[in-house]
Amino acid sequence: MTWSTPFPIPVAPRDHEEWVRLLIRQHGVVSRRQLLRHGFTPAAIRANIRARRWARVHDGVYAVFTGLLGEDVRRAAAVLAKWPAALSHDTAGEIWSFRKPDPERAIHVTVSYADSGASRAGLVVHRSRAFAHTVVQGLDHPVIAASHTAVDLAVAEPTARDAMATMLHCLTVTSLRPESVRASIDLRRPRRYRDALLGALGYATDGVRSKLEAIYALEVEEAHGLPRGERQLPVEVDGTMRYEDVAYRVGDDVVIVRLDGHRYHADRATSLADRRRDLAAELAGRSRMVIGFEETVADPCARAREVGAVLRRRGWNGALRACERCWSP
């Protein structure tokens, strides 16, 4: 059988086909234990290292080639260095698209709570009592499941508000379901930010579906004490069901806040639908505000004051509260 690989395949003393499959699966990285099992002697291992045919990546973990180590190689080496282990936290976040790839970022792995948790340069080790219940097999590398990764990333944040933002980010940038995260929280019972995480799940369940909607929910509404709006209010426009992002019911009135993200409102058909939706709101007597991404991110405090002013004009008798940004110079 001919094997095509991006690295040279050293000849193993025995079980050649199994050996090749192992190297391909592990991106050319192998542990000392695996080398011995396939017939390499300690002297042969030392000779390959001295001759620079192989490179030591971690203690007891080797690449059977030299040169730059790609991301898959670094991940495989990290898992082998702490085996049994699984990629987790920021590294798992890259795999599940919660984090943007960063080749300068250390590799994070999680091991069982009973195993060694010592970190080293370029490798951060976490321990988990629920390790056996959180690992997904069958991918390129063992990795902590997406729902558990979202919990890990949120719990690692410095504040409860940051934890909510991270959790909502994970829920809105992927197809991760709130009920899956809730099951992970129930299993793990994190000591930090449990209420904040459940609050984020509540927003996602209510209909927060985009990054802009998440920023509005946390930085405008939650941070300033605005009433919690109704998400994804259905309205019929020209015989088609449309959905308003946020609706505040004040007595018999409804105030609509439409969050205008360029991703969903740039094409002509959507612009036409938005204009028709504006007309439908006008005919129904509903106040409406259109808020974009840039102004929401730049000054959520001002957006909260604007929304609050419209709600008060319609009869809301609540009071806005100042957030940390309101007090900053």
Side-chain angles (χ1 to χ4, degrees):
M1 181 180 296
T2 301
W3 302 90
S4 177
T5 67
F7 49 84
I9 297 289
V11 177
R14 57 176 178 268
D15 301 324
H16 182 69
E17 288 195 4
E18 180 186 342
W19 165 249
V20 173
R21 283 193 294 268
L22 175 70
L23 288 183
I24 293 173
R25 186 170 66 249
Q26 296 180 176
H27 303 278
V29 180
V30 65
S31 69
R32 179 180 177 84
R33 175 179 53 83
Q34 292 170 329
L35 286 166
L36 296 175
R37 191 176 69 228
H38 284 278
F40 290 92
T41 64
I45 296 172
R46 290 193 298 270
N48 278 290
I49 295 296
R50 282 197 302 267
R52 298 186 179 180
R53 289 186 290 269
W54 298 354
R56 181 182 287 105
V57 186
H58 297 293
D59 290 343
V61 179
Y62 310 95
V64 297
F65 58 91
T66 56
L68 295 176
L69 303 181
E71 195 67 9
D72 280 328
V73 175
R74 295 176 62 228
R75 290 173 177 176
V79 170
L80 289 174
K82 288 295 180 179
W83 185 260
L87 301 173
S88 67
H89 292 75
D90 285 335
T91 308
E94 293 181 0
I95 292 171
W96 299 121
S97 298
F98 301 151
R99 292 279 194 263
K100 292 182 179 179
D102 180 358
E104 301 299 319
R105 182 181 286 144
I107 303 296
H108 290 251
V109 300
T110 290
V111 300
S112 170
Y113 197 81
D115 292 335
S116 170
S119 300
R120 60 185 68 170
L123 174 58
V124 181
V125 182
H126 309 266
R127 296 193 299 163
S128 170
R129 297 182 190 277
F131 174 75
H133 306 287
T134 61
V135 180
V136 174
Q137 304 286 352
L139 303 178
D140 273 358
H141 317 282
V143 60
I144 299 299
S147 59
H148 291 287
T149 296
V151 173
D152 287 334
L153 293 175
V155 169
E157 293 290 359
T159 69
R161 179 67 55 75
D162 291 331
M164 287 187 74
T166 292
M167 178 57 72
L168 267 178
H169 171 77
C170 294
L171 289 163
T172 55
V173 300
T174 69
S175 58
L176 182 63
R177 297 177 301 170
E179 55 268 29
S180 297
V181 178
R182 179 58 192 257
S184 295
I185 292 173
D186 290 342
L187 174 67
R188 304 273 298 280
R189 298 188 179 278
R191 295 181 180 179
R192 299 181 72 196
Y193 309 144
R194 179 179 173 86
D195 290 344
L197 300 187
L198 295 178
L201 293 185
Y203 273 117
T205 301
D206 288 348
V208 171
R209 295 178 178 172
S210 71
K211 182 176 181 179
L212 175 55
E213 290 176 30
I215 293 171
Y216 178 86
L218 295 182
E219 302 301 327
V220 177
E221 193 177 89
E222 178 92 9
H224 295 91
L226 286 168
R228 190 155 178 162
E230 178 181 343
R231 262 71 188 179
Q232 308 305 326
L233 176 71
V235 294
E236 187 172 340
V237 181
D238 296 338
T240 301
M241 193 62 69
R242 306 285 181 178
Y243 297 89
E244 298 288 11
D245 297 317
V246 188
Y248 297 100
R249 298 185 184 274
V250 185
D252 295 331
D253 289 332
V254 177
V255 176
I256 298 297
V257 173
R258 189 173 304 152
L259 300 170
D260 188 1
H262 292 306
R263 178 179 176 185
Y264 298 108
H265 296 266
D267 62 274
R268 294 180 63 183
T270 304
S271 296
L272 173 60
D274 285 344
R275 292 195 299 273
R276 297 298 296 167
R277 192 165 49 166
D278 276 341
L279 179 59
E282 183 67 31
L283 292 173
R286 295 191 296 265
S287 294
R288 61 204 178 279
M289 305 175 67
V290 180
I291 302 177
F293 187 90
E294 292 82 2
E295 61 265 34
T296 304
V297 172
D299 196 348
C301 306
R303 305 294 80 75
R305 291 192 294 271
E306 292 164 354
V307 174
V310 173
L311 293 181
R312 277 194 293 268
R313 195 168 65 227
R314 290 287 180 158
W316 178 59
N317 56 10
L320 293 180
R321 63 170 176 260
C323 73
E324 298 88 344
R325 292 180 62 159
C326 293
W327 295 105
S328 62

